[in-house]
């Protein structure tokens, strides 16, 4: 009878050990089922693109697709650059100076997605409403961005994002 | 109720044989034939039956639509139009499914407000209520996913805006959103998984409806007086009385349903969804389907992105805890004169939020949505607990029988 007490301890140990083993196994089996939903290899393969800037004239803007998102590329006029730089010291929601946002002052490269709820702001084509600050205007909930893509008015929490990009020559950039 | 012994008697050799092995006929007989139901239920109690009809209609039409739908970013929109134009009866089946979603929500909201008004969430029916809220939550997710499958402009941008809500989560928001998308933006992988889950969820809802009804049949139905069943004379059998009453209302409901399907199938939809999804152009004004408008109004009433999302989620989550927020022992609002005006103000609040959800959140509209959002939460968090403690309710009848027939003796005899 004295062995009963020992048996109980052994049984508890076996229960906990078996339970833990099953839990670890279940978690291991679950991970592939969860991870399969992440961006797949074909989506990642398109993760960087090269854009030739030579046909873009001053004051003109083009939209290219990168990772399914619109990328706004604008060759800014001297006036637009001046406006953006002179606004550097004004009070903004997401303070950033223009120099941090453009590698070369005349080229502004932005992810064209409103940081509020993901709409596409207007202001790329000539004749579009560009908002109170001459940059972009989001029609969904009324966010105004300036000529540096910074949020100046409306509900968006942050500036239009600058994607990772690098100049591979004077007239060519690689995004991503 | 659970404690009543079964009165089912198998009528022949086969049913006797079956009953000893799988008493499924006994279960049906006890649950839907002789089941003792309060004798005083009004027409608001027919919406449970109506909702069962709605779920079945959605599943049947949905299975048929899935035979023609192509869950691919390049073909989804065209396959829906193909269903509408080329498939025999395709337009009828699709409109029934689309209008059916609206009818489902209309019935669910009436059912929910019935429960709120008559205190059907109170002890001992908390579990029934909680399952009801889970079902509502799954209905919201299912309807949203189904709407996205059309892959029109409004579908696409609704998915974009709603999945972007997850980016409001600090630190991991971006990764979660990409995990949901299966890419770096809403696209083909997103559409595919939404289709897979849209097919799955109705069956989960059906299982939860089973639990909802099971829990209901353990404690029995609430009734307009809020007085629990005490004697056999308080009840009548479910068949034929409530089968007929529910059946009649299902037919009335189908009349309204058919009117929309045949005469105004697109009245509740948005014309922008007849334009194929274009990831490079956002429609000037994004509006959800009408049944989401109150929640959308709450989202936009709060100028901060994260807190807007939290408020919208909280608007549903708060429903889970109202059995414990309401301190009153009295079930029916009709017996609670002090609480009643606050209740109706809450109903008006929900309707007003629905109206404001379709308006641009600017100026007075924004201010109004903020005031109504505030009342939405004050009603649950402040008014429900406080009024229950300070009010003097009206006198309750001794029993359901007394409420129906008057006090036995004087009033009963004189009438």
């Amino acid at each position: 009878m004295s062995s009963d007490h020992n048996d109980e301890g052994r049984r508890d140990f076996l229960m906990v050990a078996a339970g833990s083993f099953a839990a670890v196994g279940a978690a291991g089996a679950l991970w592939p089922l969860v991870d399969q939903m992440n961006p797949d290899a074909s989506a990642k393969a398109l993760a960087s693109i090269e854009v030739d800037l030579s046909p873009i004239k001053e004051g003109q803007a083009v939209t290219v697709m990168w990772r399914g998102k619109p990328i706004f590329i604008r060759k800014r006029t001297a006036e637009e650059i001046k406006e953006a730089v002179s606004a550097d010291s004004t009070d903004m929601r997401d303070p950033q100076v223009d120099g941090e946002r453009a590698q070369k002052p005349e080229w502004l490269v932005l992810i064209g997605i409103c940081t509020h709820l993901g709409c596409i702001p207007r202001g790329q084509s000539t004749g579009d409403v560009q908002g109170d600050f001459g940059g972009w205007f989001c029609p969904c909930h009324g966010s105004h961005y300036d000529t540096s893509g910074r949020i100046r008015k409306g509900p968006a929490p942050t500036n239009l994002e600058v994607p990772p990009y690098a100049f591979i020559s004077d007239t060519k950039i690689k995004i991503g | 109720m659970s404690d009543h012994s079964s009165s089912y008697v198998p009528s022949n050799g086969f049913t006797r044989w079956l009953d000893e092995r799988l008493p499924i006929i006994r279960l049906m007989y006890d649950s839907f034939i002789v089941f003792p139901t309060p004798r005083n239920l009004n027409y608001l109690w027919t919406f449970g039956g109506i909702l069962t009809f709605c779920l079945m209609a959605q599943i049947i039409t949905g299975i048929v639509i899935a035979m023609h739908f192509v869950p691919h970013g390049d073909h989804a929109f065209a396959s829906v139009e193909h269903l509408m134009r080329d498939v025999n009866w395709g337009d009828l089946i699709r409109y029934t499914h689309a209008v059916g979603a609206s009818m489902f929500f209309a019935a669910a909201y009436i059912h929910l407000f019935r429960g709120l008004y008559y205190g059907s969430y109170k002890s001992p029916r908390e579990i029934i209520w909680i399952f009801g809220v889970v079902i509502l939550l799954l209905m919201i997710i299912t309807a949203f996913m189904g709407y996205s499958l059309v892959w029109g402009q409004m579908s696409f941008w609704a998915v974009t805006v709603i999945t972007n809500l997850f980016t409001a989560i600090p630190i991991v928001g971006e990764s979660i959103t990409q995990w949901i998308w299966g890419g770096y933006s809403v696209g083909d992988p997103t559409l595919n998984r939404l289709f897979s889950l849209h097919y799955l969820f109705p069956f989960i809802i059906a299982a939860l409806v089973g639990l909802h009804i099971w829990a209901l049949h353990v404690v029995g139905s609430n009734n307009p007086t809020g007085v629990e069943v005490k004697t056999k004379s308080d009840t009548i059998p479910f068949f034929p009385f409530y089968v007929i009453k529910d059946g009649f209302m299902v037919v009335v409901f189908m009349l309204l349903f058919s009117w929309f399907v045949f005469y105004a199938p697109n009245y509740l939809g948005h014309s922008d969804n007849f334009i194929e999804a274009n990831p490079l152009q956002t429609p000037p004004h994004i509006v959800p389907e009408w049944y989401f408008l109150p929640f959308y109004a709450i989202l936009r009433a709060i100028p901060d992105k994260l807190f807007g999302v939290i408020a919208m989620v909280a608007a549903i989550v708060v429903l889970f805890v109202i059995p414990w927020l309401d301190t009153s022992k009295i079930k029916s609002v009709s017996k609670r004169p002090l609480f009643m005006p606050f209740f109706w103000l809450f109903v008006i609040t929900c309707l007003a939020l629905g109206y404001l959800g379709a308006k641009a959140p600017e100026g007075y509209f924004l201010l109004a949505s903020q005031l109504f959002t505030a009342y939405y939460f004050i009603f649950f968090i402040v008014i429900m607990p406080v009024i229950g403690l300070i009010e003097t309710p009206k006198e309750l009848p001794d029993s359901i029988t007394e409420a129906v027939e008057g006090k036995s003796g004087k009033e009963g005899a004189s009438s």
Side-chain angles (χ1 to χ4, degrees):
Chain A
M1 295 310 273
S2 65
S3 68
D4 264 11
H5 181 72
N6 292 340
D7 274 3
E8 225 169 84
R10 287 172 58 170
R11 251 186 236 121
D12 285 351
F13 172 76
L14 284 171
M15 288 292 278
V16 171
S20 315
F21 185 77
V24 171
L30 190 64
W31 176 244
L33 298 175
V34 172
D35 192 38
Q36 54 82 23
M37 280 176 68
N38 274 316
D40 61 23
S42 72
K44 284 180 182 160
L46 300 172
S48 72
I49 55 163
E50 285 177 15
V51 184
D52 181 13
L53 302 177
S54 52
I56 307 170
K57 296 190 187 79
E58 191 176 287
Q60 210 182 14
V62 296
T63 306
V64 296
M65 290 293 272
W66 173 67
R67 293 178 161 186
K69 297 173 184 181
I71 298 294
F72 292 171
I73 302 174
R74 193 190 274 198
K75 188 170 190 181
R76 297 190 289 182
T77 60
E79 200 183 317
E80 285 172 330
I81 298 167
K82 213 179 91 193
E83 231 174 86
V85 173
S86 65
D88 278 354
S89 52
T90 55
D91 190 27
M92 280 186 266
R93 184 169 307 154
D94 183 10
Q96 243 184 338
V97 294
D98 188 57
E100 291 172 46
R101 298 181 52 79
Q103 294 178 12
K104 293 186 180 181
E106 67 269 33
W107 292 108
L108 187 63
V109 183
L110 301 169
I111 297 178
I113 292 179
C114 182
T115 55
H116 181 227
L117 289 173
C119 297
I120 312 288
R122 285 162 185 252
Q124 283 294 87
S125 330
T126 43
D128 266 7
V129 186
Q130 298 190 321
D132 295 356
F133 300 90
W136 290 269
F137 170 71
C138 182
C140 286
H141 306 102
S143 292
H144 298 254
Y145 296 94
D146 67 9
T147 53
S148 188
R150 294 172 294 201
I151 178 67
R152 300 292 289 273
K153 189 177 158 190
T158 56
N159 300 334
L160 288 178
E161 207 182 317
V162 179
Y165 71 96
F167 280 89
I168 47 180
S169 74
D170 275 353
T171 58
K172 207 170 214 182
I173 56 170
K174 184 180 176 191
I175 303 173
Chain B
M1 297 199 188
S2 60
D3 54 346
H4 81 281
S5 52
S6 176
S7 59
Y8 170 68
V9 181
S11 58
N12 60 45
F14 172 71
T15 50
R16 250 193 312 279
W17 178 86
L18 183 66
D19 194 51
E20 282 162 11
R21 286 155 180 82
L22 179 71
I24 188 165
I25 304 178
R26 180 181 299 275
L27 178 69
M28 292 296 144
Y29 183 83
D30 292 343
S31 307
F32 303 108
I33 306 290
V34 290
F35 187 72
T37 314
R39 61 193 283 183
N40 59 337
L41 300 187
N42 60 33
Y43 276 109
L44 286 171
W45 261 265
T46 61
F47 280 85
I50 289 171
L51 285 162
T52 311
F53 163 78
C54 287
L55 179 60
M56 280 168 17
Q58 288 306 91
I59 289 179
I60 292 167
T61 50
I63 288 171
V64 171
I65 291 168
M67 294 178 187
H68 304 277
F69 179 72
V70 182
H72 188 287
D74 295 341
H75 307 293
F77 186 81
S79 76
V80 172
E81 287 308 309
H82 159 76
L83 169 69
M84 295 282 287
R85 290 152 201 265
D86 303 338
V87 175
N88 296 338
W89 306 99
D91 52 349
L92 176 72
I93 293 162
R94 179 179 172 233
Y95 279 145
T96 305
H97 195 72
V99 170
S102 282
M103 300 306 289
F104 203 161
F105 273 97
Y109 286 144
I110 294 171
H111 192 64
L112 189 152
F113 277 99
R114 194 290 318 277
L116 269 185
Y117 185 83
Y118 291 110
S120 299
Y121 49 85
K122 293 185 194 185
S123 174
R125 298 188 180 78
E126 302 94 325
I127 295 288
I128 308 174
W129 175 263
I130 287 170
F131 273 116
V133 180
V134 175
I135 292 167
L136 176 67
L137 197 57
L138 288 184
M139 275 174 67
I140 289 172
I141 298 169
T142 309
F144 166 74
M145 293 192 297
Y147 187 68
S148 74
L149 301 181
V150 182
W151 218 236
Q153 271 289 69
M154 218 30 103
S155 298
F156 183 90
W157 289 98
V159 179
T160 300
V161 167
I162 298 301
T163 50
N164 264 296
L165 296 179
F166 290 92
T167 59
I169 302 169
I171 305 165
V172 291
E174 190 80 11
S175 320
I176 291 179
T177 311
Q178 289 185 359
W179 177 74
I180 293 169
W181 287 338
Y184 303 101
S185 58
V186 174
D188 191 35
T190 324
L191 171 61
N192 244 304
R193 61 193 57 182
L194 291 176
F195 176 62
S196 170
L197 296 175
H198 181 69
Y199 204 108
L200 167 69
F201 273 40
F203 297 98
I204 299 177
I205 291 176
L208 289 171
V209 167
L211 294 176
H212 190 63
I213 295 174
W214 184 8
L216 174 73
H217 280 208
V218 172
V219 295
S221 293
N222 186 25
N223 69 84
T225 64
V227 178
E228 293 294 318
V229 168
K230 288 172 180 161
T231 58
K232 201 166 184 300
S233 72
D234 289 343
T235 66
I236 47 176
F238 191 76
F239 179 85
F241 299 104
Y242 286 116
V243 171
I244 292 296
K245 192 163 183 161
D246 284 4
F248 171 70
M249 273 302 273
V250 168
V251 172
V252 172
F253 185 79
M254 284 164 84
L255 284 175
L256 180 67
F257 195 142
S258 306
W259 182 81
F260 274 113
V261 170
F262 290 102
Y263 293 99
N266 291 309
Y267 179 74
L268 298 167
H270 196 292
S271 51
D272 272 13
N273 226 22
F274 284 97
I275 305 167
E276 190 169 1
N278 178 359
L280 286 178
Q281 196 184 8
T282 307
H285 192 57
I286 298 179
V287 227
E289 294 285 88
W290 70 267
Y291 39 82
F292 294 149
L293 289 172
F295 301 111
Y296 196 57
I298 291 174
L299 168 74
R300 301 190 305 176
I302 294 167
D304 183 272
K305 186 169 151 180
L306 177 61
F307 286 103
V309 176
I310 290 173
M312 185 177 74
V313 175
I316 296 171
V317 171
V318 72
L319 296 174
F320 283 108
V321 289
I322 64 165
W324 297 277
L325 286 174
D326 192 344
T327 50
S328 173
K329 294 273 180 290
I330 307 299
K331 293 199 179 80
S332 173
V333 173
S334 67
K335 306 290 184 195
R336 303 176 61 191
L338 185 59
F339 184 65
M340 190 182 273
F342 292 103
F343 175 85
W344 287 111
L345 184 57
F346 177 73
V347 175
I348 292 167
T349 294
C350 292
L351 295 172
L353 284 171
Y355 171 78
L356 293 163
K359 298 285 167 195
E362 291 160 1
Y364 289 116
F365 288 133
L366 179 61
L367 184 66
S369 5
Q370 287 167 342
L371 289 174
F372 283 117
T373 299
Y375 183 74
Y376 184 98
F377 289 106
I378 288 170
F379 175 74
F380 289 120
I381 293 165
V382 179
I383 291 170
M384 266 197 168
V386 171
I387 301 254
L389 296 175
I390 61 172
E391 74 187 340
T392 313
K394 286 186 191 167
E395 205 186 328
L396 295 179
D398 284 336
S399 69
I400 294 171
T401 307
E402 185 195 298
V404 176
E405 294 183 352
K407 276 199 201 307
S408 54
K410 277 184 294 181
E411 287 119 294
S414 63
S415 62

